[in-house]
Amino acid sequence: MQINRTASAHWTGGLKDGKGLISTQSGALKDYPYGFASRFEGVPGTNPEELIGAAHAGCFTMALSLILGEAGFTAEHMETSAKVTLESVEGGFAITAIHLSLSGRIPGADEATFTELANKAKAGCPISKALAAVPITLDVKLA
């Protein structure tokens, strides 16, 4: 089975004065603004690191749901946030770390089991695999 998804970016202007628009095949994002100011200065709009974080949090949480089910558990709820760190390094900018923070209510699971299964999901989710060049850390809290 092969699944292909597309997204696109449109850009006009220079780096600092330019403006970009991001769109996704699904329409979830349609000409959504991004640019230097939203990436580096906290101005409203999105940025590539935020989008990577959203994709990673979503993929990881879905993978964990599968792994929990295989272990006989069903999540009552789970919340995952992903902090993607962009830093100036020798040669330019790089994503230097991703930290996933997970909390969830899993009836019948103890913290050790939840942490073990979450680490398995972190290692196996497709987005984690795609981002393997970046150190990915995880903290887990059973609610």
Side-chain angles (χ1 to χ4, degrees):
M1 177 170 95
Q2 182 182 45
I3 298 170
N4 296 298
R5 302 284 187 239
T6 61
S8 62
H10 173 81
W11 187 267
T12 55
L15 174 62
K16 288 191 176 183
D17 68 342
K19 303 226 181 293
L21 301 171
I22 292 176
S23 298
T24 58
Q25 175 183 346
S26 69
L29 295 175
K30 176 74 173 145
D31 294 333
Y32 201 84
Y34 80 106
F36 185 89
S38 65
R39 192 172 196 184
F40 295 105
E41 298 170 351
V43 171
T46 194
N47 57 72
E49 294 73 35
E50 178 181 73
L51 296 170
I52 287 171
H56 199 182
C59 182
F60 162 77
T61 308
M62 286 180 73
L64 180 53
S65 180
L66 170 67
I67 290 168
L68 285 168
E70 291 172 346
F73 300 105
T74 301
E76 189 173 296
H77 70 83
M78 292 188 286
E79 295 283 335
T80 303
S81 65
K83 180 172 76 172
V84 177
T85 302
L86 178 70
E87 292 185 288
S88 179
V89 297
E90 188 176 321
F93 281 86
I95 293 173
T96 58
I98 299 172
H99 181 73
L100 300 172
S101 292
L102 166 69
S103 67
R105 184 174 182 90
I106 315 299
D110 60 25
E111 190 120 11
T113 301
F114 189 39
T115 299
E116 176 188 337
L117 297 175
N119 277 300
K120 185 176 176 183
K122 178 179 75 92
C125 108
I127 300 294
S128 288
K129 290 177 183 179
L131 299 171
V134 178
I136 300 169
T137 56
L138 170 67
D139 67 67
V140 178
K141 179 180 158 193
L142 198 56

